[in-house]
Amino acid sequence: MNTYDRQHGAAVNGRHERSVLEPKVFDAEFAPGEQPAAPKGRRPTLAWLRSFVRYWWMAPRVAHTRAVIAYRLRKLPRDLARLLWFVLRGHGRWIAKAWTWATYGDLRADARAARLTGDAEARRKAQELIRADSKARWGRAAIVLHRCVVAASGVAPVALMLWCVDSWMARTDMWPWLAELLGLIDRGWDVLKALASVLLLVAPVGWLVAAAWEGRSREPGTGWLTQPDREDADSWIDERMVSKALAHLGISPLNTFFKNGGDLLYSVPARRDGNGTYVQLRLPLGTTADMVADRRDKLAANLARAKLETWPTEGDEAGVLDLWVADKGALAGGAGEWPLQYDGQADVFDGVPFGLTQRGVVVNAPLIEANWLIGGRPGQGKSAALRTLLLGAALDPSAELWIFVMGESPDFDPFQPRTARYRMGMDDAVAEAAVAALEDLLTEMERRGKVLGEQPGRPPKVSRKLADKPRLVLHPLVCAIDECHELFQHPKFGKRAAEHAVRLIKRGRKYGIVLLLATQSPTKDSIPREVTRNVSCGVAFSVADQVANDGLLGSGRYRAGIRATDLRMKTDRGTCVAVGVTDASFDLIRTFYVPFEDEVDMVTPVIERALSIMSEDGRAIAGNAHPEIEAAPVDHLADVATVMRDERRVPTRVVLARLAEHNAAEYERWTFSDLKAILGESGFGPRKSGGVQVVRAEDVREALTRRAAPQEESG
């Protein structure tokens, strides 16, 4: 059973458990007498002090410090052995450096390399450098020795004379300035002896520290002394681990950088961020965040994580890497029960609960001033996510819901009592109704713009205060289209639907009009490019390729490391990658699931509660007072008779052009085959005249007469 199914079961079981009350019986006696009163002023103070100490003790920084100290005490023997090895290795490196300096090891290595390659000129230059360096070194030594001899020849006689005078004469018999000079010399000597004694204690410690520093590990990064003792110690990530993981990605500029002893610059050191660790760093020259994102699987392996738990993305600049690494297994569980499952109501201006981010934070999905495009492969939670958004909107008594399902799916049937418009099916009538709804939304958008312009101060957008004024009719209007690719690819209505949807997405959001689109076919042909470019919130469940990923989340997201292609079918069902839902560049969201299956229906109770809230609020379902009037069917034969314009013969291409001009919505995509089929149903067809296919007026009149005859007889 995967996490999504477990979540369904947990939600259902939780509902059953709430409905069963177990009585509790207490067996006790009342003791006579009163308890002694606590001394006034003392116990509350102690309680406050204990609570303060407990709060301080459990503070994140203090807890982290305690964890580090406990871990280091437990690892003390290993740390001491490691430090001893550093000291020994440091002395070894010093000896190697001293030997190289004394024997001109680097220059001799150059000479040997030149000899092996047969480069006589390079060998000669290396040998000349050795001789020149040796001469310069001995020259510097001679200069230092000469200066020491000169200084000693000047200082030694004076020091000897002062010592003799101090030894043979009492200071009381000396000149005052000489006695003061000797006293100053004595005090200086005492200070030197004190400093020497301190140095005898500090110098060995400094020597050992310097040796340990010289012998330290030269692996990328640092931080081996700061790993804490935590319950999730296997999930710990620090800068050293990140640097080491990056050093083994096989990226050439990174390899060169680390080979030359470079240290990465961490603008945000590794820190706890929800259910994982976040770090931001600047990459070296020649390396971009996209290069790291392309090797995400290898980076995850280097950090001992699953691919889904490792998210390298581009920061503010191409050379800045934002890396978030989840704790092991933190993303395995579901999001839990929807917060509004059993009680409460929503306000679409504040957002509705949608799921948990990868950091474990509840996402309040924005609806007002936002439009959504949700997609993914079949069965991954697309419709369930759309249903969650609509349930949140339904629990706002001021919101009006329109739902169109472009397929034979009962996923949204429980919403019918709460919706002003609801159509479901695969026939042309549903597509036509959806297009008509989009046209009505555009008309409503223009009306709302005029209403806002008439308000004091000319507010730029619909607010909760304006939406609550019944006379303005600016309530939130949420229109959802499931399987929208069927509408956008419709041969007759697809072009108009795409144009209307783009206009609504661009302008309708500030007028309280929200468009929610869901699809399982996010390709460049099924979803208009302008929809993807302008939609506010993109949500991608598991998708098959880069085209589908960027079709839902926006162009360039795949290259930036924001990839829903890494979500696994079934295993990660209910988990999506979202952009625009929060202020973050992306979110990995485990969506809340409200079960609606064959044996479990937890959607209908929410709709019933929503209707009850509306009744208590004194509101009716918008649109029920003005039901939609179904359009009369188009009379194709009568339209052909109209466009004949009393002409005897009209070429079929002219008939088609006049029909498209007469009713563009119906005839714009008609071909000769469509015209021939309609005429054939009336008992005639186009004829050839002068080498051109034509429609004869007498054939049309006869067909109309035949059709009218049965009606007259029945009358």
Side-chain angles (χ1 to χ4, degrees):
M1 181 183 294
N2 56 42
T3 58
Y4 205 57
D5 296 331
R6 288 198 300 270
Q7 185 176 335
H8 303 175
V12 176
N13 294 336
R15 186 183 181 189
H16 293 333
E17 290 173 1
R18 286 170 178 244
S19 61
V20 179
L21 297 177
E22 297 182 1
K24 296 183 179 180
V25 179
F26 297 93
D27 186 8
E29 295 181 358
F30 292 98
E34 297 182 354
Q35 297 295 331
K40 293 184 178 180
R42 174 167 300 190
R43 184 161 296 178
T45 303
L46 292 176
W48 176 85
L49 183 59
R50 283 197 299 269
S51 64
F52 174 77
V53 171
R54 187 181 302 109
Y55 174 79
W56 174 83
W57 184 254
M58 298 305 295
R61 289 184 178 275
V62 177
H64 178 80
T65 303
R66 288 190 290 107
V68 170
I69 293 173
Y71 183 84
R72 296 275 47 104
L73 289 175
R74 188 159 58 87
K75 298 294 184 179
L76 187 59
R78 190 196 68 173
D79 293 344
L80 291 176
R82 183 175 181 135
L83 284 172
L84 178 60
W85 166 243
F86 283 179
V87 171
L88 295 176
R89 187 164 60 181
H91 282 88
R93 288 175 179 174
W94 279 340
I95 293 172
K97 288 180 179 180
W99 179 258
T100 300
W101 177 84
T103 61
Y104 308 100
D106 49 350
L107 295 176
R108 292 184 183 278
D110 294 342
R112 284 194 298 270
R115 184 183 61 188
L116 292 175
T117 57
D119 191 346
E121 182 66 20
R123 181 182 179 186
R124 183 180 62 80
K125 288 183 179 180
Q127 291 173 342
E128 288 178 355
L129 284 174
I130 292 174
R131 287 193 292 269
D133 190 79
S134 177
K135 185 176 180 180
R137 182 183 298 178
W138 286 110
R140 288 193 297 271
I143 291 172
V144 171
L145 181 60
H146 174 72
R147 289 177 179 175
C148 290
V149 170
V150 171
S153 62
V155 173
V158 175
L160 180 61
M161 182 178 63
L162 290 175
W163 177 77
C164 292
V165 170
D166 189 36
S167 300
W168 296 338
M169 294 180 62
R171 294 193 178 181
T172 55
D173 298 335
M174 298 179 185
W175 292 297
W177 64 268
L178 183 57
E180 187 67 25
L181 177 61
L182 291 173
L184 183 62
I185 293 174
D186 290 341
R187 287 193 294 273
W189 181 251
D190 293 338
V191 171
L192 287 176
K193 288 192 294 184
L195 289 176
S197 62
V198 172
L199 266 169
L200 288 175
L201 296 176
V202 174
V205 176
W207 180 277
L208 292 176
V209 171
W213 178 257
E214 178 65 26
R216 73 189 187 283
S217 177
R218 299 293 177 83
E219 294 179 351
T222 57
W224 64 275
L225 282 173
T226 59
Q227 184 177 359
D229 186 12
R230 309 187 327 180
E231 294 180 358
D232 58 342
D234 59 342
S235 295
W236 179 258
I237 295 291
D238 59 20
E239 294 87 353
R240 174 178 173 269
M241 297 171 66
V242 173
S243 296
K244 194 171 183 179
L246 293 173
H248 292 81
L249 288 183
I251 300 175
S252 180
L254 272 177
N255 294 343
T256 304
F257 176 78
F258 287 119
K259 185 177 180 180
N260 294 334
D263 286 329
L264 293 174
L265 175 62
Y266 286 84
S267 49
V268 178
R271 58 176 173 80
R272 292 291 299 164
D273 189 3
N275 294 326
T277 303
Y278 172 74
V279 64
Q280 184 185 79
L281 61 134
R282 176 167 291 280
L283 297 169
L285 295 177
T287 311
T288 64
D290 290 347
M291 295 180 181
V292 179
D294 288 340
R295 290 169 170 78
R296 179 179 164 194
D297 51 350
K298 187 179 291 186
L299 177 64
N302 293 345
L303 292 172
R305 291 294 191 278
K307 194 174 182 180
L308 188 64
E309 297 172 339
T310 309
W311 290 91
T313 57
E314 182 179 310
D316 298 334
E317 303 172 12
V320 175
L321 177 67
D322 284 350
L323 176 62
W324 187 85
V325 183
D327 293 341
K328 286 189 176 181
L331 304 181
E337 186 180 272
W338 190 47
L340 299 177
Q341 181 68 65
Y342 298 105
D343 53 31
Q345 68 182 68
D347 183 351
V348 294
F349 285 87
D350 294 333
V352 299
F354 184 61
L356 298 180
T357 68
Q358 67 268 37
R359 295 162 175 82
V361 179
V362 176
V363 176
N364 275 329
L367 287 182
I368 298 298
E369 296 190 59
N371 297 285
W372 288 64
L373 177 60
I374 305 173
R377 289 189 274 194
Q380 298 308 297
K382 164 188 60 67
S383 296
L386 179 60
R387 194 164 59 224
T388 301
L389 292 175
L390 288 172
L391 281 174
L395 288 173
D396 185 337
S398 67
E400 179 179 346
L401 272 62
W402 298 4
I403 300 178
F404 298 90
V405 182
M406 310 304 297
E408 298 293 339
S409 172
D411 286 342
F412 299 91
D413 283 351
F415 285 86
Q416 290 192 56
R418 179 62 180 84
T419 57
R421 301 188 188 187
Y422 179 83
R423 297 295 296 272
M424 183 264 289
M426 300 182 66
D427 55 350
D428 291 352
V430 178
E432 185 176 7
V435 173
L438 294 175
E439 292 175 347
D440 292 344
L441 289 175
L442 289 174
T443 303
E444 175 66 9
M445 179 182 69
E446 300 296 336
R447 185 197 69 81
R448 293 187 176 205
K450 294 178 181 178
V451 172
L452 285 177
E454 296 170 356
Q455 301 307 305
R458 298 177 64 88
K461 59 184 179 181
V462 174
S463 62
R464 168 52 70 187
K465 183 178 179 180
L466 294 174
D468 288 339
K469 295 181 178 180
R471 63 181 180 83
L472 299 180
V473 195
L474 295 176
H475 59 278
L477 210 165
V478 181
C479 178
I481 303 177
D482 193 25
E483 307 298 349
C484 64
H485 59 278
E486 296 288 348
L487 177 61
F488 293 138
Q489 290 183 308
H490 196 278
K492 291 184 179 180
F493 306 107
K495 183 178 179 181
R496 289 168 56 201
E499 293 174 353
H500 297 339
V502 171
R503 287 185 60 195
L504 276 173
I505 290 172
K506 287 183 177 180
R507 299 179 52 202
R509 58 187 184 86
K510 65 179 180 180
Y511 300 119
I513 298 175
V514 181
L515 188 61
L516 307 178
L517 303 174
T519 177
Q520 64 180 4
S521 179
T523 65
K524 61 180 180 180
D525 298 323
S526 61
I527 303 298
R529 186 170 298 177
E530 287 298 313
V531 170
T532 303
R533 285 176 178 171
N534 293 281
V535 77
S536 306
C537 303
V539 175
F541 290 85
S542 176
V543 295
D545 51 33
Q546 178 180 348
V547 174
N549 186 88
D550 288 357
L552 292 169
L553 303 179
S555 178
R557 301 291 185 179
Y558 186 89
R559 290 294 302 166
I562 304 174
R563 302 175 180 177
T565 53
D566 295 329
L567 297 173
R568 299 158 293 183
M569 284 280 289
K570 297 183 179 180
T571 302
D572 298 318
R573 184 169 58 168
T575 299
C576 64
V577 178
V579 297
V581 178
T582 68
D583 294 335
S585 58
F586 82 98
D587 287 288
L588 183 70
I589 299 178
R590 290 167 286 161
T591 57
F592 292 120
Y593 179 72
V594 181
F596 180 68
E597 301 172 359
D598 295 337
E599 299 179 358
V600 181
D601 177 10
M602 300 184 72
V603 175
T604 300
V606 178
I607 297 299
E608 292 173 351
R609 193 170 84 247
L611 294 172
S612 175
I613 292 173
M614 292 190 67
S615 177
E616 294 173 1
D617 203 50
R619 297 178 182 266
I621 301 297
N624 284 358
H626 306 281
E628 296 182 69
I629 300 175
E630 294 188 5
V634 178
D635 189 341
H636 299 112
L637 186 60
D639 288 344
V640 172
T642 301
V643 301
M644 292 295 293
R645 300 177 183 176
D646 297 329
E647 298 178 19
R648 186 178 176 186
R649 295 184 181 87
V650 179
T652 53
R653 58 181 178 79
V654 176
V655 172
L656 288 171
R658 292 177 179 178
L659 285 172
E661 182 181 353
H662 175 70
N663 187 348
E666 181 68 20
Y667 300 112
E668 185 178 14
R669 294 180 178 272
W670 267 38
T671 63
F672 175 77
S673 300
D674 297 321
L675 178 62
K676 183 178 180 181
I678 290 299
L679 298 179
E681 293 176 1
S682 300
F684 71 99
R687 302 195 183 190
K688 204 165 194 179
S689 175
V692 178
Q693 293 287 341
V694 299
V695 178
R696 300 196 312 172
E698 57 182 321
D699 292 338
V700 177
R701 286 195 298 270
E702 290 176 2
L704 289 172
T705 302
R706 286 195 303 270
R707 190 176 68 177
Q711 297 178 358
E712 294 176 356
E713 293 176 359
S714 62

